Amino acid sequence: GHPEIFPLLLTAKTQEIFNCQPDEDVTEENYFKCIKKDDIIQDLTTRANSSDFNPLKNVILEYPGEELLVVFDPNFQYGQNFYLVASEEAKENFLKSLATVEEREETEEENREETLEVHKPWVSLGSEKEVEEESVKERDTKIKYKISRVRRKFGAPITFTDKNAADEKDSYAECTAYEDDTFSIKILERDVGVQTVPKLRETSTQTKWTYPKNASTQYYPRQLSNEAKAESLSSETLKKFLTAVHLRVEIALQQNEIMNAFFDDWKALTEDQEEGKPDVYLKEYQSFTDVQYLKNRTISCVRWHPTIYGIVALSAREQPSYEEQVNLSDKSLLHQPVILLWSLFDPLCLQLVLKAPEDICCFQFSPSDPNIIAGGCVDGQIALWDISKHEEKLESTKPVADEIIDSSEDEPRAAAAVTKVILGLDVQQSSTEPPLVRHCAASSTPYCHTKPATDVQWLPCNFEENQKGATAENRDEKNLQLVTCSPDCSILFWDIPSIDRREQFLSEKIKEEKRSHMPHGGPDTDEELDLSWKPLIKINLRERDNNTEYGPTRISFRKLQYRYKPPGKARSRSALRATVKESPYTEMSASSSKNLELLENISTDFFVGNEDGEIVYSDWKKKIDTNTAKPVSQKHSQKYALHTEAINTLQKSPFFKDIFLSIGGQKFAIWKEGVTNGPILQSSCSVGRYTAGQWSLTRPGVFFIGRDNGNIDIWDLLKKTHEPSYFQNICKSIITFISPSSASAEQHFLAVSDNLGVLHILEICQTLSHPSSNE
């Protein structure tokens, strides 16, 4: 209804330029501002299209006056935070109305002042006495001073000169303040009133108003004119072309070689158009448990045999409650610490039982010699087993070639064939107990971990051969082959004792058992026998500067390089033993060889997951100083605090050497070596806890995660990255370990253990085992 009023949006920058900021320059009481027309034109010239006055450019240029009236509109009466008065008449009316309002207010105030107030007579209630008592009365006689001057000096001229005050005596006097005891008055009592006032602070917030603008684009095809069309259709070139290709097009249409007329393009662009759910599942293939060894125990580690098809090994450990931990008197005697080996083709009978000095937290088959198994115990010991004498027995459990039936064939036939193999072997072995294999080496107690050994890793053989360049006999005795870690902030490197020493260890252990007549579950007396196996190198993960400890629970090595000193004068064993006694890890030497050689330098890069949920990447180097002949350590670490609980999985991708998966608490993360700002992918917090996980051996973008509710989350990064693609319930208790195996090109298994001592063997479907193109 007001054509001379134009809504105007002024941004914070424009408000600052023209001094019209809300609550500062303009308020709800003083809500208008006169802006010179020349200043607005200068802003239009300077900022062009970005100026807020650009939509009203023509109105401003046509305005006859020198100043434009801009009014603050806090209630958005006209749709924006300001509006512009575009005529001189409307501007004068607006200012006159304001002046009229002010005059009316002044008149009202004057009338209010002229109104006489009726005062009531004062009635005394006794308060004047209190006022008189509190009033100050002068009691002392005042001292009077009379200052006089000679009359002739009045109006006499005075001249001032500069003079140094220090030149003449008594020319400078300083009156310093001092405390006069004569006039000090001791306050005996004082009435003080205190009123608490809240702290007040005025603040204002101005949100930046984004002016919406409609944007549209109109396009049209390029078309020939009617004359150009007629000329092209009547040209000889088109006639010759149609005559030349007529026969070929007719033949192609007859043979349907150009295109499939019934092909659905929309269906080809979409995914998962099949009706129902996709064929993704983990099929229960077999399950193992044992009343004697696994009752009331949890499975701590599961490993597949690297070379023998169908052999799976597992270890179990106690999980006592708090009351049981207090009263551990004979608790360790109830169960014997062992590693059990089963076969998929004989699930009712154990194949081997490996006796251990203590409960096993983790173990690994050696990749170079699968008959050698290394395990870490709950007391920090490292044990070694040699099952080469039982290799033929393990291989004999495999069925013959014609009995291996593809899982894609008829299921009843496959089940009948497997049952036939199981029953046949059960009849032959039911009368025999599984062989008991003793450990052939155990670490020395003073030099092993002080807390449970939580991870055991075999070092790749190619590093040893390239760096050492020795013969096979010497390489078995002197090289770094095994690495372990523990929450006691230490990483230990081990060599493998020679075959002679392992046999000597077993013979002495058997003699000791016969001599003491102790049962198999009795206390271990291997202290004197274990003194022959000690670690070669120790990496301490404590930071001396800030007293920070990194208690590793999982470790993953990227590379390892080391070099021995050139052969020189051999040192005697007694001289070297004296050095090792002072600092057993400072002198980096192998204890199982006759002539011990010192490591000249060693460097390694590794990832570590600790008890606090932190991922630590460390670049550790150690070399012998040429001047002092002492080892000097250099360590550069990067710490990432992501997980909320201890890391239970830290695994390198089987397809990419620099990609790692970490799992702990309610999160998982994928890391890339060289990326220092954090993981390349991390999950959001889940409802439950992640307890185990493993990469897929056949698909680079798939990995499996076990949860505390018995579910398996299947993550396919090609489909989803914010949530699992599929999940399946396996059991009712906590999943403790996951281990995949590729039995053949068409059959893939997943071993899943739970907290109740049951091992589930699941068959992975083809969708999760066959990679897509360029995955």
Side-chain angles (χ1 to χ4, degrees):
H2 299 280
E4 69 278 358
I5 293 178
F6 294 91
L8 179 63
L9 173 67
L10 296 184
T11 59
K13 186 176 180 181
T14 305
Q15 295 171 9
E16 183 179 355
I17 293 174
F18 291 97
N19 296 325
C20 56
Q21 297 180 354
D23 298 334
E24 293 183 9
D25 302 318
V26 291
T27 60
E28 292 187 2
E29 291 78 14
N30 184 17
Y31 53 89
F32 66 94
K33 184 80 175 182
C34 291
I35 302 176
K36 292 184 178 180
K37 179 180 177 181
D38 296 338
D39 295 342
I40 298 177
I41 295 175
Q42 181 64 28
D43 183 71
L44 288 171
T45 306
T46 305
R47 296 198 293 169
N49 294 334
S50 62
S51 175
D52 294 338
F53 295 98
N54 188 51
L56 305 177
K57 181 178 180 180
N58 295 331
V59 176
I60 295 171
L61 295 176
E62 295 174 358
Y63 185 76
E66 296 180 355
E67 291 184 346
L68 285 89
L69 180 64
V70 177
V71 183
F72 177 49
D73 189 6
N75 298 324
F76 293 87
Q77 181 180 357
Y78 295 99
Q80 301 294 348
N81 56 352
F82 288 86
Y83 62 85
L84 182 69
V85 179
S87 68
E88 283 289 334
E89 182 180 357
K91 172 183 173 183
E92 292 177 359
N93 294 335
F94 180 82
L95 296 177
K96 287 180 181 180
S97 63
L98 291 179
T100 305
V101 172
E102 291 179 357
E103 290 178 359
R104 189 185 303 114
E105 290 179 354
E106 291 178 358
T107 304
E108 291 177 355
E109 289 180 358
E110 291 177 357
N111 294 334
R112 194 181 302 111
E113 291 177 357
E114 292 177 357
T115 303
L116 297 177
E117 296 182 359
V118 178
H119 299 283
K120 295 181 181 180
W122 180 71
V123 179
S124 175
L125 298 177
S127 60
E128 68 275 5
K129 296 181 180 180
E130 295 181 1
V131 173
E132 186 178 358
E133 290 176 357
E134 294 294 332
S135 61
V136 179
K137 297 180 181 179
E138 295 183 0
R139 298 176 182 176
D140 300 333
T141 305
K142 294 184 178 179
I143 302 174
K144 297 181 180 180
Y145 290 93
K146 181 180 179 182
I147 301 174
S148 61
R149 191 179 187 187
V150 181
R151 182 69 181 177
R152 67 175 180 272
K153 293 185 179 180
F154 280 90
I158 299 173
T159 57
F160 296 95
T161 58
D162 296 333
K163 185 173 75 172
N164 192 356
D167 294 342
E168 295 184 10
K169 185 179 181 181
D170 300 331
S171 63
Y172 170 75
E174 182 180 2
C175 299
T176 58
Y178 67 96
E179 185 177 357
D180 192 353
D181 297 337
T182 307
F183 299 99
S184 63
I185 301 174
K186 180 180 286 187
I187 300 176
L188 299 179
E189 185 177 356
R190 176 190 296 177
D191 294 335
V192 179
V194 179
Q195 176 66 36
T196 59
V197 178
K199 292 183 178 180
L200 301 179
R201 184 176 59 181
E202 295 183 359
T203 59
S204 62
T205 303
Q206 177 64 32
T207 58
K208 293 184 179 180
W209 182 267
T210 304
Y211 183 69
K213 295 182 180 179
N214 296 327
S216 62
T217 303
Q218 179 66 33
Y219 66 93
Y220 57 91
R222 291 186 298 175
Q223 296 180 350
L224 297 175
S225 62
N226 295 331
E227 295 79 5
K229 290 180 182 179
E231 182 180 359
S232 178
L233 292 175
S234 61
S235 63
E236 293 295 327
T237 306
L238 181 60
K239 293 180 181 179
K240 292 180 181 179
F241 170 77
L242 293 177
T243 305
V245 302
H246 169 70
L247 183 60
R248 285 183 291 168
V249 172
E250 184 178 358
I251 296 174
L253 289 174
Q254 291 175 358
Q255 296 181 355
N256 198 18
E257 291 182 353
I258 290 182
M259 62 173 291
N260 182 10
F262 303 101
F263 183 75
D264 190 352
D265 294 327
W266 291 105
K267 187 175 181 180
L269 292 175
T270 58
E271 296 180 358
D272 299 336
Q273 291 294 328
E274 296 84 11
E275 296 182 359
K277 296 182 180 180
D279 191 16
V280 177
Y281 60 89
L282 298 175
K283 181 181 178 182
E284 183 83 18
Y285 185 84
Q286 193 61 261
S287 62
F288 299 98
T289 188
D290 189 90
V291 178
Q292 179 181 356
Y293 296 106
L294 300 179
K295 185 178 180 180
N296 299 327
R297 292 165 70 85
T298 178
I299 298 177
S300 59
C301 188
V302 180
R303 302 293 181 187
W304 292 88
H305 197 286
T307 56
I308 302 179
Y309 169 61
I311 297 297
V312 60
L314 62 89
S315 62
R317 59 173 296 183
E318 292 284 349
Q319 266 199 347
S321 61
Y322 179 77
E323 292 78 6
E324 293 173 343
Q325 290 179 0
V326 176
N327 303 319
L328 281 178
S329 55
D330 293 331
K331 186 71 178 177
S332 60
L333 301 179
L334 298 179
H335 294 282
Q336 182 177 356
V338 292
I339 296 178
L340 308 179
L341 273 73
W342 259 298
S343 173
L344 294 181
F345 311 105
D346 191 5
L348 301 180
C349 296
L350 290 170
Q351 302 302 315
L352 285 181
V353 177
L354 310 184
K355 181 182 175 183
E358 288 292 341
D359 282 345
I360 300 297
C361 292
C362 56
F363 67 92
Q364 278 275 15
F365 287 89
S366 172
S368 58
D369 185 3
N371 292 322
I372 302 297
I373 303 174
C377 303
V378 294
D379 61 348
Q381 264 190 305
I382 308 300
L384 209 65
W385 292 268
D386 186 356
I387 60 173
S388 56
K389 297 181 181 179
H390 306 276
E391 184 177 5
E392 295 182 359
K393 171 181 172 55
L394 297 178
E395 291 180 348
S396 65
T397 59
K398 293 193 300 184
V400 293
D402 56 359
E403 289 183 359
I404 299 179
I405 300 174
D406 191 0
S407 60
S408 62
E409 296 180 1
D410 195 345
E411 292 185 1
R413 293 177 55 195
V418 174
T419 305
K420 179 180 178 181
V421 176
I422 292 174
L423 294 177
L425 291 176
D426 187 29
V427 173
Q428 297 176 4
Q429 300 181 359
S430 60
S431 60
T432 60
E433 293 292 332
L436 184 65
V437 180
R438 296 180 175 86
H439 54 283
C440 60
S443 61
S444 179
T445 303
Y447 303 117
C448 60
H449 296 289
T450 57
K451 291 185 179 181
T454 54
D455 202 2
V456 174
Q457 298 286 338
W458 290 92
L459 297 176
C461 299
N462 55 347
F463 291 130
E464 299 169 3
E465 294 175 359
N466 294 339
Q467 298 295 331
K468 179 66 182 173
T471 59
E473 292 79 10
N474 292 335
R475 188 168 65 249
D476 183 49
E477 295 181 355
K478 301 178 184 179
N479 285 327
L480 306 176
Q481 298 177 350
L482 190 67
V483 61
T484 61
C485 71
S486 172
D488 62 355
C489 302
S490 65
I491 299 175
L492 303 182
F493 292 82
W494 308 77
D495 67 336
I496 302 305
S498 61
I499 298 177
D500 296 338
R501 288 193 170 273
R502 296 201 295 262
E503 292 179 353
Q504 181 183 1
F505 179 90
L506 280 174
S507 61
E508 291 180 356
K509 183 172 177 59
I510 294 174
K511 291 178 182 180
E512 186 69 22
E513 289 182 355
K514 291 180 179 180
R515 189 163 50 248
S516 59
H517 297 286
M518 285 188 176
H520 298 300
D524 195 3
T525 58
D526 297 339
E527 185 174 358
E528 296 182 359
L529 306 177
D530 295 343
L531 294 177
S532 59
W533 195 28
K534 302 175 184 178
L536 299 182
I537 302 173
K538 175 181 180 180
I539 299 179
N540 193 348
L541 296 182
R542 288 185 178 91
E543 296 289 348
R544 297 180 180 178
D545 299 337
N546 50 13
N547 199 18
T548 304
E549 295 185 356
Y550 305 117
T553 56
R554 293 292 184 269
I555 188 170
S556 180
F557 271 83
R558 175 71 174 89
K559 61 181 180 179
L560 174 68
Q561 296 178 353
Y562 60 94
R563 185 177 65 182
Y564 283 92
K565 265 191 174 182
K569 185 177 180 181
R571 300 178 61 181
S572 64
R573 183 179 295 273
S574 59
L576 189 58
R577 188 180 293 115
T579 307
V580 173
K581 180 179 287 187
E582 296 176 359
S583 180
Y585 304 115
T586 302
E587 190 104 20
M588 298 174 287
S589 60
S591 59
S592 59
S593 57
K594 295 181 180 179
N595 296 326
L596 303 181
E597 296 182 8
L598 299 182
L599 281 170
E600 188 175 17
N601 58 61
I602 180 172
S603 62
T604 180
D605 299 337
F606 57 86
F607 278 89
V608 165
N610 64 7
E611 292 180 307
D612 299 328
E614 298 173 339
I615 300 297
V616 181
Y617 175 73
S618 182
D619 180 8
W620 183 80
K621 298 179 181 180
K622 197 165 190 176
K623 61 181 181 179
I624 303 298
D625 192 355
T626 56
N627 299 327
T628 61
K630 293 182 179 180
V632 179
S633 297
Q634 296 179 358
K635 181 170 62 176
H636 303 283
S637 300
Q638 295 176 355
K639 182 178 70 173
Y640 306 94
L642 176 67
H643 303 278
T644 57
E645 298 180 17
I647 304 297
N648 56 62
T649 301
L650 183 62
Q651 187 195 13
K652 180 171 63 176
S653 170
F655 298 92
F656 307 102
K657 295 182 180 180
D658 56 348
I659 300 295
F660 297 85
L661 171 66
S662 66
I663 301 174
Q666 297 175 315
K667 286 185 177 182
F668 76 85
I670 298 178
W671 309 79
K672 181 178 177 62
E673 187 176 1
V675 180
T676 59
N677 57 353
I680 59 176
L681 175 65
Q682 67 178 13
S683 67
S684 58
C685 288
S686 64
V687 178
R689 292 171 49 249
Y690 293 143
T691 56
Q694 285 288 333
W695 286 101
S696 171
L697 299 180
T698 55
R699 289 195 55 185
V702 175
F703 54 91
F704 308 93
I705 296 181
R707 301 171 64 94
D708 56 355
N709 59 356
N711 285 355
I712 291 287
D713 287 352
I714 305 171
W715 289 78
D716 188 352
L717 300 182
L718 294 184
K719 291 184 175 293
K720 298 178 181 179
T721 57
H722 65 285
E723 63 180 0
S725 303
Y726 319 98
F727 68 90
Q728 183 173 337
N729 183 262
I730 306 301
C731 56
K732 299 296 183 182
S733 61
I734 301 174
I735 292 178
T736 59
F737 206 88
I738 298 177
S739 180
S741 172
S742 296
S744 62
E746 299 296 332
Q747 197 170 25
H748 306 272
F749 293 115
L750 189 70
V752 179
S753 63
D754 59 22
N755 202 29
L756 301 178
V758 180
L759 178 64
H760 306 268
I761 305 298
L762 310 174
E763 186 176 356
I764 306 175
C765 63
Q766 292 187 358
T767 305
L768 297 176
S769 57
H770 292 274
S772 59
S773 59
N774 298 326
E775 181 172 348

